[in-house]
Amino acid sequence: MTTAVEFTTQGIRFARAAGRVTVRGPRDRVALIAELRAEVERRMPRLAGHYLPRDRAAGYGTCETCSDPMAHYVAGMCDLCVLARGKALGGGP
């Protein structure tokens, strides 16, 4: 399992706008891209339902849906969970 924070240390960049996440990274690193897709797909079944499984006790630095570590000043869902949610609901490639 790889977190969004770990992906950023490997050259992946996430950008949020209007509730969506876009991803940029080294296209020549096929294994890294496959690992990123696998992490998004692993989260999809859990995030596909009407109600999100949220841990309201999760504060800054922890994803409220998967409990992955995030930057210490960030709260809510991690970038991977936002991607998975959008894809699970039919809003992503």
Side-chain angles (χ1 to χ4, degrees):
M1 292 183 0
T2 306
T3 68
V5 172
E6 292 169 333
F7 279 117
T8 61
T9 65
Q10 297 180 54
I12 300 290
R13 297 289 171 249
F14 300 98
R16 290 192 188 206
R20 299 181 141 260
V21 173
T22 56
V23 181
R24 298 200 185 270
R27 292 178 183 241
D28 60 336
R29 297 191 51 200
V30 177
L32 181 63
I33 301 304
E35 186 178 352
L36 176 68
R37 286 183 177 141
E39 283 299 324
V40 170
E41 289 174 8
R42 181 178 67 80
R43 289 165 165 77
M44 284 174 56
R46 188 162 191 248
L47 298 171
H50 181 68
Y51 296 102
L52 285 173
R54 293 189 174 183
D55 178 3
R56 297 287 182 196
Y60 288 97
T62 304
C63 177
E64 66 184 22
T65 55
C66 73
S67 301
D68 276 0
M70 301 190 310
H72 71 281
Y73 53 85
V74 178
M77 291 171 64
C78 72
D79 294 321
L80 293 173
C81 284
V82 174
L83 280 168
R85 175 76 171 166
K87 190 168 181 174
L89 296 177

